[in-house]
Structures are given as C-alpha cells and as structure tokens.
C-alpha cells in the first residue's frame, strides 16, 4: 500500500494536451508496437497495439497556473505518453506506478513558489513501495516542500507528482 498519492496528469490538462501540447504541437496518435510505454493519464504501461500519443508536458507550469506560483526558470517541459482519448484515469492501486526494482528515479522537491528546494536520486529497492515511501517521507519532512515530481533518470521523463499530504 502506498503512503502517498501519486497523481496523474489532470483531466483538464489532458483535454488540452490532446489538442495542442505544451510546446504548441498538435497531438498525434500512433499505435504502440511493443507496449510498455508509461502512460501519465492512467499511470500504467501501454499494451501492444494500443493507441497512444507522445506529447510535450510542462508539469510545474500546470501546477503554477492552479496555485499562482511563479516557477521562473524551473518551468521545464518534456515528453510524456498519454492516451489520445479519455481513458477514465488510473484504476485504484496500492502500488506506485512505473515501479520496478533497480530502476533509477529522481525526486525533485519544489516549494510553494515553484522553486527547486532539493532532490534525491533513488534506486528502487526490491520493495519499490518502501523505497518511495521513505524518499517521500524524507522530502516532506522539510516544511518548505509543497510537491515532489518523480522522474525517470534515463530519459528525464516526468512520471508522476505527489503533493504535500
């Protein structure tokens, strides 16, 4: 069971990304040949033959628009996979998404202004949930941390967000 709640890309942001992504490009769907692509709309891996899209997403910009924060230069965007049509979001789960022992993740910590206030490299242990719980507990022990972005180290891709409980 997860101690913290991993958040997918919000339905409102997905509606916009399915038209034009955060880099101003049209959303173009394709068929996942092999599957396994991490879908940020429903926090699961794609299946072979499933229709998906690769779009540019700026998670901190989206959060800042909700909260009035001004992240300045920390506003970055990168590639994420989504379904090109509404998928209903994530199914209830007691595990963190995209977790496998040995995977490398970076947890970037942001304050209420949207500035980076720390980070951590995490190699997921045999029990990835425990690894995430410990790293997120460490992050939120700092009272200035408002949210944490979890990213893959290999490609720098945004995986999911966790907000202060």
């Amino acid at each position: 069971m997860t101690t913290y709640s991993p958040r997918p890309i919000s339905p409102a942001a997905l509606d916009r990304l399915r038209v034009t992504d955060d880099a101003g490009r049209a959303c173009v769907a394709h068929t996942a040949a092999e599957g396994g692509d991490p879908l940020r709309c429903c926090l699961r891996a794609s299946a072979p033959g499933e229709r998906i899209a690769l779009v540019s997403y700026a998670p901190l910009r989206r959060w800042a628009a909700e909260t009035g924060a001004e992240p300045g230069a920390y506003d970055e965007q990168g590639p994420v996979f989504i379904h090109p049509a509404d998928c209903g979001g994530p199914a209830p789960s007691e595990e963190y998404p995209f977790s496998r022992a040995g995977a490398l993740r970076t947890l970037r910590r942001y304050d209420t202004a949207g500035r980076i206030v720390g980070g951590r490299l995490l190699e997921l242990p045999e029990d990835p949930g425990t690894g995430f719980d410990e790293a997120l507990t460490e992050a939120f022990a700092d009272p200035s941390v408002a949210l944490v972005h979890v990213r893959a180290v290999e490609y720098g891709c945004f995986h999911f967000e966790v907000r202060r409980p």
Side-chain angles (χ1 to χ4, degrees), residues 3-153:
T3 300
Y4 298 91
S5 298
R7 297 170 63 104
I9 297 174
S10 75
L14 287 166
D15 287 345
R16 291 187 294 276
L17 291 170
R18 289 177 175 132
V19 177
T20 305
D21 72 9
D22 287 343
R25 290 184 293 269
C27 178
V28 178
H30 67 278
T31 301
E34 297 178 22
D37 304 299
L39 295 162
R40 284 28 168 258
C41 49
C42 54
L43 300 181
R44 68 168 177 82
S46 66
E50 191 169 18
R51 296 291 290 167
I52 63 173
L54 182 62
V55 298
S56 185
Y57 176 59
L60 199 58
R61 181 182 312 160
R62 298 292 182 153
W63 173 81
E66 290 176 28
T67 64
E70 184 57 50
Y74 294 105
D75 175 28
E76 60 183 313
Q77 62 188 34
V80 294
F81 290 99
I82 63 171
H83 282 114
D86 185 11
C87 63
S93 177
E94 300 208 357
E95 297 180 3
Y96 290 100
F98 320 121
S99 298
R100 62 174 169 70
L104 296 174
R105 301 291 182 254
T106 183
L107 284 75
R108 293 186 188 165
R109 305 168 186 175
Y110 297 91
D111 66 13
T112 57
R115 306 284 197 258
I116 292 177
V117 291
R120 176 176 177 190
L121 176 64
L122 174 65
E123 181 175 353
L124 294 177
E126 285 301 314
D127 178 2
T130 298
F132 271 125
D133 283 345
E134 290 172 359
L136 290 164
T137 296
E138 175 187 291
F140 289 118
D142 178 346
S144 70
V145 174
L147 73 154
V148 175
H149 285 174
V150 175
R151 293 177 176 267
V153 170

